[in-house]
Every structure is written in C-alpha cells, then in structure tokens.
C-alpha cells in the first residue's frame, strides 16, 4: 500500500502522541527522594502558583472533583511535598503550601518543561517564521478539533 505525504503525517502524529503519552505516564522524582505521578506534580505546580489555596479552590482550578484533589493531597502530604495549615481568615478551612521538598520538585518540573522547549526549538532550528506560523496553526487546529475525533466505533 502506497502512502501519500498527508497520510504519512497522520501516522507520524499518532506515533508522536503515543511516545509523548509514554513520557507523561512515567513517574519522576524531580530531584527529591519520592517518585511523583503526573497528576501529583501538576498539583504541586497549582499549589505553588496559588500559594495558600484550599481543596475546593484547587478542584475548581484543575477541573476535577474535591475527592480527587483530597486523594492526591493525602499522597503528597505523605511524600512530604505539601503541608496543610489553618487558614488565618477562616479557621475551619485548611490551606495548602509546599514544603522545601515540594519546592524542589516544582523547580525541577519547570526545568523539565524548559528542556522540552529547548528540544523543540533545536528541532525547529533555522525554520522561517512562515513555516513556524504554519506549524503552530496546524497543531492548534488539531488540538482544537481533536475532541470531535473518536475514530470508528465497534469495528
């Protein structure tokens, strides 16, 4: 079967998506003594960006249930990444803050993203601005329309 270039692009995109998914699924220690899952490091990031936030606020920001936030918070607390403190404005509510270990994980997570940015920039190399704009628009279009694609059901 002979593939045209557009078909080759779609197959390449699927392979890239699978590889990126595998990278995202891996646990990392982010410079600490604890392995962190993707949801945990993103919770750490959200707490850092919203220092002193509470469970309900985190659930709203992340678009997940309070129960899901509570489960991750318990794991992060056991791993020594965050602490809960009484809210000085509302003593019946607890606020969340990063521990020094959580700060280290957050810094190294940011570094991970910067390294990926550098990786992409290196591949783009000396691409013209027109080519970069085309690629950005192409990827943005895929991103905004992918929710409508599910493929054939019940093959």
């Amino acid at each position: 079967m002979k593939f045209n270039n557009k078909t080759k692009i779609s197959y390449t995109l699927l392979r890239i998506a699978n590889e990126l998914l595998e990278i995202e699924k891996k646990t990392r220690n982010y410079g600490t003594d604890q392995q962190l899952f993707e949801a945990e490091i993103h919770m750490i990031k959200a707490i850092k960006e919203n220092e002193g936030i509470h469970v309900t606020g985190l659930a709203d920001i992340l678009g997940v249930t309070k129960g899901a936030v509570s489960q991750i918070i318990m794991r992060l607390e056991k791993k020594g990444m965050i602490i809960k403190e009484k809210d000085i404005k509302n003593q019946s509510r607890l606020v969340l803050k990063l521990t020094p270990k959580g700060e280290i994980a957050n810094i190294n997570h940011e570094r991970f993203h910067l390294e990926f940015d550098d990786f992409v920039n290196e591949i783009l190399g000396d691409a013209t601005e027109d080519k970069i704009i085309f690629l950005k628009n192409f990827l943005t279009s895929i991103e905004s329309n992918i929710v409508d694609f599910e493929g054939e059901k019940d093959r």
Side-chain angles (χ1 to χ4, degrees):
M1 182 175 192
K2 187 176 178 182
F3 294 113
N4 65 33
N5 283 332
K6 289 180 181 178
T7 302
K8 288 179 183 177
I9 289 170
S10 70
Y11 277 72
T12 301
L13 280 171
L14 286 172
R15 285 192 306 275
I16 291 169
N18 284 324
E19 288 295 324
L20 289 172
L21 185 60
E22 289 300 314
I23 289 170
E24 277 292 304
K25 286 195 295 188
K26 288 182 182 174
T27 60
R28 292 180 177 75
N29 65 20
Y30 295 101
T32 70
D33 61 343
Q34 295 290 323
Q35 292 291 87
L36 296 167
F37 290 95
E38 174 192 9
E40 293 171 333
I41 194 64
H42 289 140
M43 183 77 63
I44 288 171
K45 180 182 189 289
I47 292 169
K48 175 62 179 176
E49 291 173 350
N50 302 279
E51 190 79 20
I53 196 165
H54 50 86
V55 171
T56 303
L58 266 179
D60 290 344
I61 288 171
L62 298 172
V64 297
T65 65
K66 290 189 285 186
V69 170
S70 294
Q71 287 180 353
I72 296 171
I73 293 302
M74 284 191 303
R75 290 196 315 254
L76 290 174
E77 201 172 19
K78 286 178 185 173
K79 292 179 179 186
M81 300 288 166
I82 63 166
I83 55 170
K84 296 177 189 172
E85 295 179 348
K86 285 204 182 268
D87 187 341
I88 55 173
K89 298 174 190 167
N90 180 350
Q91 291 293 308
S92 66
R93 185 165 60 183
L94 297 173
V95 294
L96 306 166
K97 295 183 179 180
L98 297 183
T99 63
K101 190 191 296 188
E103 293 281 354
I104 290 168
N106 186 62
I107 289 167
N108 286 311
H109 177 243
E110 288 177 11
R111 192 171 292 140
F112 174 80
H113 280 280
L114 290 173
E115 288 172 7
F116 189 75
D117 292 347
D118 289 344
F119 169 74
V120 171
N121 288 328
E122 186 176 317
I123 290 171
L124 288 171
D126 295 332
T128 65
E129 192 63 25
D130 285 345
K131 286 183 179 179
I132 291 171
I133 289 169
F134 171 81
L135 182 58
K136 179 185 154 290
N137 291 340
F138 172 73
L139 294 172
T140 300
S141 180
I142 288 176
E143 181 181 39
S144 63
N145 291 292
I146 197 74
V147 294
D148 296 331
F149 176 78
E150 291 186 39
E152 275 188 64
K153 295 188 187 244
D154 301 322
R155 294 196 163 209

